[in-house]
Amino acid sequence: MVATSATSSFFPLPSFPLDPTAKTNKVTTSTNFSGLSPTPNSSGRMKVKPNAQAPPKINGKRVGLPSGSVKPDNETSSQHPAAPRTFINQLPDWSMLLAAITTVFLAAEKQWMMLDWKPRRSDVIMDPFGLGRIVQDGLVFRQNFSIRSYEIGADRSASIETVMNHLQETALNHVKTAGLLGDGFGSTPEMVKKNLIWVVTRMQVVVDKYPTWGDVVEVDTWVSQSGKNGMRRDWLVRDGNTGEILTRASSVWVMMNKLTRRLSKIPEEVRGEIEPYFVNTDPVLAEDSRKLTKLDDKTADYVRSGLTPRWSDLDVNQHVNNVKYIGWILESAPVGMMESQKLKSMTLEYRRECGRDSVLQSLTAVSGCDVGSLGTAGEVECQHLLRLQDGAEVVRGRTEWSSKTSTTTWDTTS
């Protein structure tokens, strides 16, 4: 009843007397909408050709067609009487239109799923090149790495150089994904205009556990201000499956003029580019404020000379890659210690760059145990120096080692 009342304003129904005994002298014909045949006329309006037919019965009584009624188009209708006309069968047939709309929506949904495209959330910006993504309100960059067979050492775990390469790669991809990468090695567009590059002055790394071949690690990195003219970059490395923290690292960077090779203040134009990405947090590692020892030929236990850069050791700024310095420092570490100990922490101070024509010396002094008992020592601390042949310091360092068979959990918060 409600449906009939609601639609009567759109599809008028014939009105009949309420008294079933009343005589019907005149019957109002109902309109068959399927017979509408619109044709344009000269006035631009549409003409409608009615195809009307009176219902065969009204209130149970058979009635005839009134005089002058329109003959049905189907001549065989006299042999097969038409069904009673009701509101339901006067409606247009919408089934075909509904089927077409459904088909369109299903096709669109299939294309959506095949494209695998999803709207971007404000807190997650996906890198279209698969180099990682920016998370946590656009301030932290996250990237996964799978440990390759050529990245593990003799002890079947990833080397410290592998870990450091992952840190460096995420730092550069962070700048790239944020849209700040110029044509330099991590330089912003304003830095490129002013011939400025980033150089690291201090690096501190604590390794709780080394991943092995086939493991997937998740690396987070972010930047903060360090003093008036420095930038601090931190990293946090987790096991991609368990979320266990594997490595923490913190570093300080300053700007150098690429042409004069002198340190530079941060120009205001550059500061305007990088400050929106600064995170106001404490370093992921408490700073190791212990002074790094300067070694010489008398205080060093091991010396390795004649180290020279190869062409592949240079980066796009034409100086030796920072990770290469770590490999040179460990060149003078005793083999017995490398076989029985694992590197637990490392603090480096970069004092000078070197180029492809440089010749270097690596010096190491072992403390905390007797040099002859390195294979059985529980803890070992080493002092390191990488210098040019003329004595100019390149890198000072300190490393801490623990036994590979030890189950001791190190307190890395102090």
Side-chain angles (χ1 to χ4, degrees), residues 46-111:
M46 304 296 294
K47 289 184 178 181
V48 179
K49 178 183 177 181
N51 181 12
Q53 179 180 350
K57 291 183 180 180
I58 298 178
N59 294 334
K61 296 182 179 181
R62 183 178 301 276
V63 296
L65 289 174
S67 60
S69 61
V70 181
K71 294 182 178 181
D73 292 337
N74 188 355
E75 297 297 337
T76 61
S77 61
S78 60
Q79 300 177 2
H80 303 281
R85 309 304 296 174
T86 64
F87 167 74
I88 298 300
N89 60 23
Q90 289 184 68
L91 289 176
D93 185 3
W94 297 97
S95 59
M96 295 301 294
L97 178 59
L98 180 60
I101 294 175
T102 304
T103 302
V104 171
F105 274 96
L106 290 176
E109 182 182 11
K110 182 178 180 180
Q111 290 296 323

Side-chain angles (χ1 to χ4, degrees), residues 293-309 325 328-332 349-355 357-364 384-397:
T293 304
K294 179 180 179 179
L295 297 179
D296 54 32
D297 293 333
K298 295 181 179 179
T299 56
D301 297 314
Y302 301 90
V303 178
R304 175 73 183 272
S305 301
L307 301 173
T308 58
Y325 293 148
W328 281 336
I329 286 174
L330 299 180
E331 282 288 332
S332 59
E349 287 183 0
Y350 294 85
R351 295 172 173 263
R352 183 188 302 269
E353 64 173 343
C354 62
D357 297 327
S358 301
V359 180
L360 301 99
Q361 286 183 325
S362 176
L363 294 80
T364 296
H384 304 275
L385 176 65
L386 190 65
R387 67 184 184 185
L388 299 176
Q389 277 190 328
D390 60 7
E393 293 183 88
V394 177
V395 179
R396 283 189 190 184

Side-chain angles (χ1 to χ4, degrees), residues 15 31 99 150 156 158 175 196 206 214 225 253 255 266 282 305 346 386 405:
S15 59
T31 304
Y150 51 82
R156 299 178 180 270
V175 178
L196 297 174
V206 172
Q225 185 171 343
W253 300 72
M255 289 189 178
I266 301 179
D282 294 330
S305 301
M346 174 176 59
L386 190 65
T405 58

